[in-house]
Amino acid sequence: MKALVLAEKPSVGRDIAKALGVHDQKKGYFENKQYIVTWALGHLVTNATPEEYDKKFKEWNLNVLPIIPEYMKHVVIKKTRSQFNTVQHLMKRDDVNSIIIATDAGREGELVARLIIERAKVKKPLKRLWISSVTEKAIKTGFQNLKPGEAYNNLYQAALCRSEADWIVGINATRALTTKYDAQLSCGRVQTPTLNLVQMRQNEIQSFKPKEYYQMNIDIDGYKFNWIHQNGDKTFDSELIEQIKEKVQNNIGTIHKVYKKKKTKYPQKLYDLTSLQQTAYQRYKMSAKETLNTMQSLYEQHKVLTYPRTDSNYLTDDMVSSLKERVSSLSATSLKSYAVPLLKQQIKAGKHFIDNNKVSDHHAIVPTEVRPNMNQLSPREEKIYMIVAERFLEVLLPPYQYEETTVELTCEGEKFKLVQEVATELGFKAIHQEKAIVKELPFKEQQQLKIQKVNISTKDTEPPAYFNEGTLLKAMESPQLFFKLKDKKMAQTLNETGGIGTVATRADIIEKLYSSNVIEAIQGKIKITPKGKQLLNLAPEQLTSPELTANWEMKLNQIEKGQYSKGTFMKEMRDFTREIIADIKNSEDKFKHDNITTTECPTCGKFMLKVKTKNGQMLVCQDPTCKTKKNQQRQTNARCPNCKKKLTLYGTGKKATYRCVCGHTETQEHMDERLKNRKTGKIGKKEMKQYMKNDEVENNPFKDALKDLKL
């Protein structure tokens, strides 16, 4: 008899088959005498659409809402039906006596597998593979420690609740708002509170009134002593600062105190997905979605990093024995000079990165034991890998040791302070080659010094910064810091449940807000659009607060632990949906398109709307049921002559303009000139063919023209 192994993706299925020595490849699976290894393609089974419950739901109609099925249906996805049929056939084979679930080790991975098994109507013993990396060693170890499938039944129930509740609330709220106001208005329990975060920060900035404040320092032998008083180092009183200046200018100051203190600084925590996405944005302006996709590739394809969708910053005790192997894998990178010395000594497992109690489903993101071939990594993959590798080495290196010297000077009752940090041991900071100050301060207690130069700086208080993708992720993780929640218990729940959304979904939520045209990024600053503002005004208040999602996550966690009933939760979701749909139906608010154009929709004749997307502008029909779109700008594969990045094409014909993010702009005419043959001044067929073969400018703006010429 054989065990059927169900992976989530073909690449992971191949890795498992290789690790288990299953080499006989068939269509959609591998097989040997002990195992059959097959895979899903992500989800093969999903929630049924409204019209699959009743044909009357095919057209969006406010009068038939809410759509609340008594029992949720799950259907096979048409595009991947052939693979589902393969998996179902394999599960039902007489020589298969058990199923090993090897999908991603988490809530969604459990849902992927269980829906397939239920739809296939198979009742065979289940076992669970639970691993955080897909290296051969991790897979073999995982198969030696398979868990009983029933141990994850509650996890499946929680995943099912999340999926069905999102469907019931999201489908009904979106259809109600869209049909009520005749506009494409998408609403959900995660995306709407996130949109509200952006609005709140923008309101805070716009209502901010700057205040002028003053700071002072005195310059003695090239050292700057900052003025300090009981409220800090600044004052809003201009008269006071001038009086102090007159009092100490050309006066004698006394070194009141010189004291030293030895201090220790530990590195930052290991990365979870959210903190990694923040760092990737800060360093390289990579979006949250780009970072997650890159991580997924490093995990699945290259197998050099562990599972990315984690919310933990710690490792477990059982990983201590693998630390040296992971360090050894870094000897193939630019971090070799730091990795090799660690291999010659015992690696200490400190509590600052090893803690079983702070790891739930998955540990922090760290390198695997697989040595990376840096030549095979894309530039983006290399950047993300090195970010993780650096942080991993930092926690293994000694802490940063330094001596802080403080010099206090007094003059006419005013206090001035100089603080200097001198490194005694760079420790983990050596990775970034930070240099230590070695010059001793030339001051002694009771020393008399003449104050000749007094500097006053005038500044304005500044509003908080607009969100960028990194800081918005942080706000989604800790929304209780931004929303003024009346219920302190709910604020605590938000903190305990990890905020709005999960580490796995936040990148998709931000992308959805962009694609719905309710937020836009202007020079990296995320701002709410007029459509987004109206959506927040029109949506039921319950859907704009993070309290809803906090309450959901709290109960989903309880369901995972067997402490809350799925039936009770779903009843609450159905009642909640009826309530918000009634609110929308009874509303007397109006929606106004402020981005309407004079361009008629080629399909239905209505005027089209101009919307901004992450990749440019486009026109969409104002009728939500029409769905006609026209590009106004698009990214090309033509390259900027300055920074070599892809140019964006605006407009068509002779008036077309190419622009780059670096600021470079050129007209279609100038682009034509760049392609001209220098000798003849003409564009010959041979030159154009050669230009088209150039990898850097593949699919360039002249591709269509060449097709017409049939070159």
Side-chain angles (χ1 to χ4, degrees), residues 30 44-45 58 173 194 214 234 300 318 336 354 372 400 422 480 517 522 550 583 657 660 672 677 699:
F30 291 86
L44 294 182
V45 179
K58 186 172 184 179
T194 303
Y214 310 92
K234 63 186 178 184
E300 289 181 1
D318 60 350
K336 179 180 179 179
I354 300 287
Y400 170 58
V422 178
Q480 67 275 11
N517 192 38
I522 301 174
D583 287 348
T657 304
C660 180
D672 293 344
N677 184 290
N699 298 325

Side-chain angles (χ1 to χ4, degrees), residues 311-372:
D311 59 359
S312 177
N313 305 104
Y314 293 84
L315 305 179
T316 51
D317 289 338
D318 60 350
M319 297 182 67
V320 174
S321 60
S322 72
L323 292 178
K324 278 204 172 183
E325 285 184 88
R326 298 173 193 274
V327 172
S328 179
S329 70
L330 302 181
S331 58
T333 71
S334 59
L335 297 170
K336 179 180 179 179
S337 59
Y338 305 103
V340 172
L342 279 172
L343 297 173
K344 299 175 182 177
Q345 61 190 34
Q346 183 179 357
I347 296 177
K348 295 180 181 179
K351 288 186 177 181
H352 62 292
F353 72 99
I354 300 287
D355 192 335
N356 288 357
N357 296 324
K358 294 182 179 178
V359 179
S360 52
D361 290 342
H362 295 283
H363 55 69
I365 301 167
V366 292
T368 65
E369 304 91 336
V370 174
R371 182 173 295 198

Side-chain angles (χ1 to χ4, degrees), residues 507 516 520:
S516 300
E520 58 186 343

Side-chain angles (χ1 to χ4, degrees), residues 220-232:
I220 298 176
D221 297 332
Y223 294 94
K224 291 191 182 332
F225 288 72
N226 295 317
W227 172 66
I228 303 291
H229 66 119
Q230 60 184 6
N231 295 322

Side-chain angles (χ1 to χ4, degrees), residues 55-123:
K55 290 182 180 179
K56 71 179 181 181
F57 296 139
K58 186 172 184 179
E59 290 193 15
W60 290 30
N61 185 339
L62 184 62
N63 295 326
V64 301
L65 299 179
I67 303 168
I68 302 181
E70 187 175 351
Y71 299 101
M72 296 294 290
K73 292 181 183 178
H74 300 102
V75 297
V76 178
I77 298 171
K78 291 180 181 178
K79 290 182 180 179
T80 55
R81 178 176 288 278
S82 62
Q83 182 61 18
F84 172 81
N85 291 339
T86 298
V87 175
Q88 179 178 236
H89 169 72
L90 294 171
M91 286 181 174
K92 290 184 174 182
R93 271 176 42 172
D94 292 337
D95 59 343
V96 171
N97 65 349
S98 66
I99 297 170
I100 299 172
I101 297 175
T103 48
D104 282 354
R107 194 188 281 173
E108 287 307 302
E110 197 68 24
L111 184 66
V112 166
R114 296 295 189 108
L115 287 181
I116 294 170
I117 294 167
E118 286 202 0
R119 183 67 184 178
K121 297 180 180 178
V122 175
K123 301 286 185 181

Side-chain angles (χ1 to χ4, degrees), residues 377-414:
L377 302 185
S378 69
R380 187 174 293 165
E381 289 169 342
E382 183 177 350
K383 287 173 181 175
I384 295 298
Y385 180 79
M386 292 306 293
I387 287 175
V388 175
E390 284 177 8
R391 182 64 60 84
F392 175 64
L393 276 184
E394 284 176 5
V395 302
L396 300 179
L397 289 170
Y400 170 58
Q401 306 276 354
Y402 64 99
E403 189 175 70
E404 186 179 88
T405 303
T406 303
V407 182
E408 292 182 5
L409 179 146
T410 58
C411 179
E412 296 293 336
E414 300 299 330

